[in-house]
Amino acid sequence: MADKKTKFSSLVEKVKEASKRLIIEQIVTILPSISKNNFVRILSLYEKISSGETKKVIAAVKKTFKDSIAGDLIVRGIKATNAKARKKIAVDLIADGMILRDKKRREEESKGGFVPFTVLFSPTMRCNLRCKGCYAGNYSQDDDLPYEVIDRMVTEAEEMGVAFMTVLGGEPFMWEPLFKLLADHPHMYFQIYTNSTMLNKERVKKIKKLGNAALMLSIEGFEKETDERRHPGIYKKILAAMDLLREEKVPFGYSVAVTQQNEPVVTSDEFIDLMIEKGALIGWMFLYMPMGMDPDLSLMPTPEQRLHMLEFNKRIRQTKPILVIDFWNDAPFVGGCIAGKYYLHITSEGWVEPCIFSHIAQDNIKEKSLREVMRSELFSELRKRQPYNDNLFLPCMWIDNPEISRDLHAKLDLHLTHPGADDVLKKDHLKEGMNKYSKKVKELYEKEWAEEKEAMEKRGGVSDRLMKKLGNDQN
């Protein structure tokens, strides 16, 4: 009798899931003629078939889009994206990935596991450029991660409930099996960071046909800033690649490594307007990080520039139909640092790092499963300490709370994933520079965090669990 009940319950769940998928696929057919108001109605349908935290997130997104420029961005994105990609994003990434796979994630966590939102991996560190201050520039370029290892890791991620993967490098298009990976995992959505130099009409058409990848094009500002850091002529190649992607309606965005030199340019209306004109839907802003062998601290944006980036982003989100994400200033939305919690990075040698700026590891994906590495002592210790500061604008254990990274290195048996990965911890002039920097940032952001914390509480952007944790002494 109990066995019959179990089978019946399983059948009911399958029918419910099939019904949800049918609703979603019907929604996708009307997307090309969508309006801002209709998109809000679609979100209401997604909300009805969701549960738990996912339901709350969708409700918050709907509320935000109703009365802001974000709705215009969504409509622009839908119209600028080809039919195959629209279906992949709406069904595989948003509906299946965020809603239907939520059950898998909850099951995994009920067994003591931890599921990242995305897995970043660098199949190769080979690159045809040598950009100044690149976070990946110190890694060995001798080894590529075997296809079999990546294929197995992506399959494990799918089984755990992950629906979004990020491909880095090196230059990903130098890794020959890239298109095979996309084809072998049609229900996984990929974000690929590229320097644009290897993009041509043939490759863009392949991406369009597959539909399950968006490209993020690295750029440093206008021609002067880009060519100075990368190589003469690269800026024009990037703009040409954007034109190709826009013409084929392949979704793309841009990525900026923000330095002290280019910060005024990449936070200008002129630069943002150009990115919108070219067709970019999203922009990623990463601070230059003092990682690697004897890094140059003068490249770091000043604390004042970092605060300026926050004000810039607030304004852009109210006035421009593009989503600009600032990896540091947006930390309050995800509860501080997400390294080893919501994401991780796997190097071309297989070492599993907490993030792309933390060049330390305990495990190698060649030897362990994704489930096992998520439970590592290092990742568990990071999650236990996060957030590292009660001010969520100060998320990082390297530049905001350097005492955390120093303590971890002293207490844990860590593998450095390239020579010089711990210079910022050992060399006195770098330690002194980080201490001064973190102190200044803390002073500048004290008022901002008080205002942001109050605003987040009002809009429900901080969960009860997180607020309780913020009440504890994390340092």
Side-chain angles (χ1 to χ4, degrees):
M1 188 71 176
D3 187 49
K4 285 184 178 179
K5 283 185 177 180
T6 302
K7 286 181 179 179
F8 181 72
S9 297
S10 176
L11 179 62
V12 169
E13 284 301 313
K14 287 179 181 178
V15 170
K16 283 182 179 178
E17 186 168 318
S19 299
K20 289 177 181 179
R21 190 175 293 277
L22 183 62
I23 292 171
I24 292 159
E25 289 181 355
Q26 288 298 311
I27 288 171
V28 173
T29 62
I30 66 169
L31 286 179
S33 57
I34 200 72
S35 68
K36 183 176 175 178
N37 289 336
N38 283 340
F39 183 74
V40 172
R41 294 189 183 102
I42 287 174
L43 285 175
S44 296
L45 284 173
Y46 276 141
E47 187 182 358
K48 286 179 181 178
I49 62 175
S50 303
S51 59
E53 287 299 316
T54 303
K55 192 180 190 76
K56 292 178 183 177
V57 169
I58 293 174
V61 170
K62 185 177 72 173
K63 185 178 179 182
T64 301
F65 284 174
K66 238 176 180 178
D67 304 307
S68 75
I69 196 85
D72 299 317
L73 165 61
I74 294 297
V75 173
R76 182 171 85 86
I78 290 169
K79 294 182 183 299
T81 303
N82 69 77
K84 183 71 173 284
R86 279 198 302 268
K87 186 171 182 178
K88 288 291 182 182
I89 294 169
V91 177
D92 293 331
L93 177 60
I94 298 176
D96 188 18
M98 295 183 182
I99 299 172
L100 301 183
R101 292 193 199 185
D102 186 55
K103 183 180 178 183
K104 289 183 179 181
R105 292 190 288 270
R106 284 187 276 114
E107 286 176 354
E108 191 74 28
E109 291 176 5
S110 71
K111 298 173 186 175
F114 211 93
V115 183
F117 174 74
T118 184
V119 176
L120 291 71
F121 64 97
S122 297
T124 182
M125 285 299 179
R126 290 180 290 120
C127 187
N128 54 346
L129 299 180
R130 294 291 289 178
C131 305
K132 186 178 180 182
C134 175
Y135 76 88
N138 294 289
Y139 290 102
S140 167
Q141 297 191 19
D142 295 336
D143 299 309
D144 285 357
L145 202 54
Y147 181 83
E148 295 73 22
V149 174
I150 295 177
D151 181 52
R152 185 256 297 168
M153 181 271 294
V154 175
T155 299
E156 290 170 351
E158 289 177 309
E159 291 170 352
M160 292 167 68
V162 178
F164 183 55
M165 307 291 281
T166 300
V167 190
L168 302 167
E171 170 50 48
F173 286 97
M174 294 188 77
W175 187 60
E176 194 173 328
L178 179 60
F179 288 107
K180 174 176 168 54
L181 183 70
L182 301 186
D184 286 351
H185 295 274
H187 299 300
M188 179 67 79
Y189 199 81
F190 295 85
Q191 177 183 223
I192 304 171
Y193 282 75
T194 175
N195 63 30
S196 303
T197 61
M198 298 185 70
L199 287 177
N200 54 31
K201 189 165 283 190
E202 180 187 358
R203 289 193 176 103
V204 169
K205 284 186 176 294
K206 278 186 180 180
I207 294 166
K208 179 180 181 179
K209 184 177 180 181
L210 290 163
N212 61 334
L215 300 188
M216 299 298 141
L217 281 54
S218 298
I219 193 168
E220 313 302 330
F222 294 117
E223 188 167 18
K224 177 180 180 295
E225 295 79 25
T226 301
D227 287 359
E228 275 182 1
R229 184 166 186 249
R230 294 183 169 268
H231 193 274
I234 297 298
Y235 178 76
K236 289 179 180 176
K237 289 185 177 181
I238 295 170
L239 296 192
M242 288 181 174
D243 291 339
L244 271 177
L245 293 165
R246 186 183 67 253
E247 289 163 10
E248 295 295 335
K249 292 192 172 184
V250 173
F252 75 93
Y254 69 90
S255 171
V256 172
V258 184
T259 67
Q260 197 169 136
Q261 287 71 37
N262 73 352
E263 190 275 338
V265 175
V266 297
T267 57
S268 68
D269 281 73
E270 292 78 11
F271 177 71
I272 295 298
D273 288 343
L274 175 64
M275 294 297 97
I276 294 171
E277 178 189 332
K278 285 294 178 180
L281 300 172
I282 188 171
W284 289 94
M285 299 179 76
F286 300 94
L287 300 184
Y288 163 79
M289 286 288 284
M291 302 305 298
M293 203 172 294
D294 203 15
D296 184 358
L297 298 189
S298 71
L299 285 175
M300 293 178 67
T302 66
E304 290 80 6
Q305 286 179 316
R306 187 164 153 182
L307 191 59
H308 175 253
M309 290 166 63
L310 174 62
E311 296 306 319
F312 156 79
N313 215 351
K314 285 180 180 178
R315 181 175 61 80
I316 289 301
R317 287 178 181 171
Q318 296 300 317
T319 58
K320 308 277 186 182
I322 187 170
L323 176 61
V324 179
I325 299 174
D326 181 332
F327 212 60
W328 270 256
N329 283 323
D330 283 328
F333 291 103
V334 291
C337 177
I338 60 175
K341 177 168 60 175
Y342 297 142
Y343 92 141
L344 62 147
H345 175 235
I346 300 171
T347 73
S348 62
E349 292 183 326
W351 292 108
V352 185
E353 302 174 332
C355 82
I356 58 172
F357 303 116
S358 296
H359 301 171
I360 52 177
Q362 283 188 323
D363 297 319
N364 196 296
I365 200 68
K366 295 176 184 177
E367 301 163 357
K368 294 186 177 182
S369 69
L370 185 62
R371 284 185 175 88
E372 289 175 303
V373 301
M374 285 305 296
R375 300 185 189 192
S376 73
E377 182 186 16
L378 171 59
F379 284 14
S380 298
E381 185 67 24
L382 289 174
R383 292 194 293 266
K384 190 191 305 179
R385 297 178 182 223
Q386 292 164 346
Y388 309 127
N389 198 300
D390 64 355
N391 184 336
L392 296 186
F393 281 123
L394 312 176
C396 185
M397 68 175 177
W398 296 97
I399 65 174
D400 298 325
N401 309 281
E403 68 280 358
I404 300 293
S405 53
R406 293 166 192 165
D407 187 52
L408 287 173
H409 275 69
K411 289 184 177 179
L412 301 181
D413 182 20
L414 301 175
H415 171 79
L416 301 181
T417 53
H418 63 75
D422 60 348
D423 276 8
V424 73
L425 302 176
K426 295 191 309 185
K427 297 192 174 182
D428 288 341
H429 73 286
L430 295 175
K431 289 172 67 176
E432 185 181 348
M434 284 298 91
N435 289 340
K436 287 181 179 178
Y437 178 90
S438 62
K439 182 180 178 183
K440 183 65 174 176
V441 170
K442 186 174 183 179
E443 292 171 356
L444 281 179
Y445 273 87
E446 191 172 339
K447 179 175 177 290
E448 290 294 334
W449 172 238
E451 294 175 355
E452 182 65 19
K453 187 176 178 180
E454 182 180 355
M456 290 181 75
E457 289 174 5
K458 285 180 179 177
R459 65 174 179 257
V462 178
S463 68
D464 292 338
R465 179 178 58 83
L466 179 56
M467 288 308 300
K468 184 178 179 181
K469 192 172 184 181
L470 290 177
N472 299 327
D473 182 11
Q474 299 295 318
N475 295 315

